[in-house]
């Protein structure tokens, strides 16, 4: 059951905060480790681990989501796990990539227009983003 869904602007702002607070330092650390801005295995691996592990162990929060008081939750009430986050991030990302970003645009429209604010990657993983605190 979807309760207190977070809207488009909060979700976008949380993603931007994650990029600034977590992503930018990871890019700089990756450059220091690999000596390359391109084909940087460290930054790619660290971003994947962050996206999969942090929400799974932190009740659906990322740094950006925590700052804005929103989190990822499962529709069925179970806790978000690494498998769920894999479906949401990796499989969802593949769908967006394979459709050359068209599905990403559709997802943004879905979050803006749907009452439950669920996007394509939310449907893939059985999740939604909520303002409700974890139980």
């Amino acid at each position: 059951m979807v309760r207190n869904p977070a809207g488009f602007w909060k979700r976008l702002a949380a993603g931007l905060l994650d990029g600034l607070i977590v992503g930018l330092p990871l890019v700089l650390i990756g450059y220091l480790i690999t000596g390359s801005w391109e084909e940087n295995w460290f930054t790619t691996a660290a971003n994947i681990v962050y996206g999969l592990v942090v929400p799974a162990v932190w009740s659906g929060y990322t740094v950006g989501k925590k700052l804005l008081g929103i989190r990822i939750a499962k529709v069925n009430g179970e806790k978000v796990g690494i498998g769920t986050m894999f479906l949401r991030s990796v499989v969802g990302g593949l769908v967006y990539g394979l459709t050359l970003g068209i599905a990403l645009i559709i997802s943004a429209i879905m979050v803006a227009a749907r009452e439950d604010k669920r996007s394509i990657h939310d449907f893939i993983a059985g999740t939604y983003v909520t303002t409700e605190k974890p139980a």
Side-chain angles (χ1 to χ4, degrees):
M1 177 196 323
V2 175
R3 296 173 19 181
N4 302 318
F8 176 81
W9 294 111
K10 271 194 168 183
R11 290 174 69 153
L12 178 64
L16 292 173
L17 284 171
D18 274 327
L20 289 171
I21 296 168
V22 177
L24 189 58
L26 288 177
V27 167
L28 295 173
I29 293 167
Y31 174 76
L32 292 174
I33 290 172
T34 65
S36 173
W37 294 109
E38 298 171 14
E39 298 180 26
N40 188 323
W41 61 267
F42 175 84
T43 304
T44 301
N47 276 315
I48 290 170
V49 169
Y50 174 76
L52 296 180
V53 175
V54 171
V57 299
W58 201 17
S59 302
Y61 290 108
T62 63
V63 172
K65 283 180 175 61
K66 183 72 170 176
L67 289 171
L68 291 178
I70 63 175
R71 69 184 182 90
I72 303 161
K74 289 194 67 165
V75 173
N76 65 9
E78 293 177 6
K79 293 185 179 205
V80 174
I82 290 177
T84 300
M85 293 311 303
F86 179 84
L87 288 172
R88 192 173 196 278
S89 302
V90 178
V91 176
L94 286 172
V95 168
Y96 296 145
L98 290 172
T99 61
L100 305 176
I102 293 168
L104 182 61
I105 294 166
I106 293 168
S107 271
I109 293 167
M110 289 170 65
V111 172
R114 290 178 55 89
E115 189 174 325
D116 64 5
K117 307 298 182 194
R118 293 178 72 201
S119 63
I120 292 171
H121 60 268
D122 285 318
F123 278 99
I124 290 169
T127 61
Y128 69 107
V129 179
T130 182
T131 58
E132 194 168 274
K133 301 212 181 308

